[in-house]
Amino acid sequence: MPRILSRPFYARATLTVARELLGCVLARRVDGRDTLRARIVEVEAYVGEEDKACHARAGRTPRTDVMYGPPGIAYIYLTYGMHYMLNAVTEPDGCPAAVLIRAAEPLEGIERMRRARGTDDDRLLAAGPARLTQALRLDLRQNRADLRGPLLWIEEGEPVADRDVAQSPRVGCQTAPPPWDRIPWRFYVAESRFVTPGTRGLAAPTTGPAARKTRGGNRAAHRR
DNA sequence: GGATCGATCGGCT
DNA sequence: GCCGATCGATCCG
């Protein structure tokens, strides 16, 4: 039996939780019988009111209230009037922070995910935060759900080695004031083909002439 | 492969 | 009123 991540796992520093969530298995029970499972390959950390890209920058409001509560709870919100995003609340009770689950590799219940997404391209079933919630049939009704089940949970997985993890600035945060627009708090499995398409070029924020070559090289280097 | 654009609405200024 | 922690279609090269 796979072990379900416990509350203390989420109660730690958000960057640590984000990094360690890579390789873990996101699971979802639908229609009271079917189980959907997918391996997490891309996440982002959002940490506190100081983090000007984090929703908690506006303080405690009806929407962000859940981030101020106990860890190990789902924070799901609607964005662009049509897309849902899944986060795992982190840090001890009272600290507003969360990890956005951005992409995953489908493992089980793939046929149901195809139906939910309306596509047969398995690579795109959960490659992006909104695609992921659509594949797993998540919406506002699962906001504040306990991540230890029974509707939604995350299992321990095969750990991802440091050499296989890449970092980059967070996607879609370009309008946040510095340094929050560039801080490399996105973590992903470098060689996975299930990360959000078109976000690989964002690679580590190294600067200078040498970094330029690396950037183009990263894309061709990892293929599968 | 890359750039641009419209969809669509709750939450916050 | 404004604007997103986005996606997919479409156009171009």
Side-chain angles (χ1 to χ4, degrees):
Chain A
M1 277 292 277
R3 215 160 89 192
I4 293 177
L5 298 179
S6 61
R7 182 148 285 178
F9 174 89
Y10 299 99
R12 300 173 298 157
T14 306
L15 292 182
T16 303
V17 177
R19 164 66 181 84
E20 293 189 15
L21 276 176
L22 293 178
C24 291
V25 176
L26 178 62
R28 163 86 165 128
R29 175 63 56 91
V30 291
D31 300 337
R33 33 194 180 102
D34 296 322
T35 304
L36 312 180
R37 294 169 77 244
R39 173 179 174 254
I40 298 171
V41 298
E42 180 183 343
V43 297
E44 281 174 2
Y46 290 88
V47 192
E49 298 178 348
E50 308 306 310
D51 177 0
K52 296 310 176 192
C54 179
H55 287 166
R57 66 184 179 274
R60 194 166 188 157
T61 68
R63 181 175 64 154
T64 62
D65 180 69
V66 58
M67 280 202 285
Y68 287 78
I73 299 293
Y75 164 40
I76 299 180
Y77 66 91
L78 175 72
T79 192
Y80 291 103
M82 62 185 92
H83 298 306
Y84 300 103
M85 305 281 134
L86 168 66
N87 298 255
V89 173
T90 59
E91 310 266 354
D93 202 332
C95 303
V99 173
L100 171 67
I101 314 293
R102 285 192 55 91
E105 172 179 351
L107 299 177
E108 181 184 337
I110 296 181
E111 189 48 50
R112 297 208 62 132
M113 295 188 206
R114 288 180 184 139
R115 252 182 285 151
R117 287 272 302 120
T119 179
D120 280 347
D121 187 345
D122 290 359
R123 195 171 43 104
L124 289 179
L125 288 182
R131 295 187 182 107
L132 182 145
T133 55
Q134 189 178 31
L136 296 184
R137 297 171 53 182
L138 294 168
D139 57 40
L140 263 15
R141 289 172 293 183
Q142 287 76 233
N143 187 30
R144 294 179 183 273
D146 195 319
L147 288 176
R148 293 171 300 180
L151 267 42
L152 182 63
W153 66 95
I154 304 180
E155 303 165 359
E156 271 184 7
E158 198 63 34
V160 178
D162 284 343
R163 66 175 173 282
D164 295 328
V165 176
Q167 279 180 254
S168 84
R170 293 169 292 185
V171 177
C173 296
Q174 309 89 327
T175 59
W180 311 108
D181 58 337
R182 302 203 167 252
I183 197 159
W185 285 355
R186 168 172 176 255
F187 301 83
Y188 61 99
V189 178
E191 85 279 6
S192 175
R193 42 192 270 263
F194 297 93
V195 301
T196 311
T199 57
R200 229 179 259 282
L202 300 173
T206 356
T207 46
R212 261 176 240 165
K213 287 186 193 169
T214 318
R215 224 183 290 165
N218 277 346
R219 335 186 65 190
H222 306 294
R223 262 213 183 178
R224 233 161 100 170

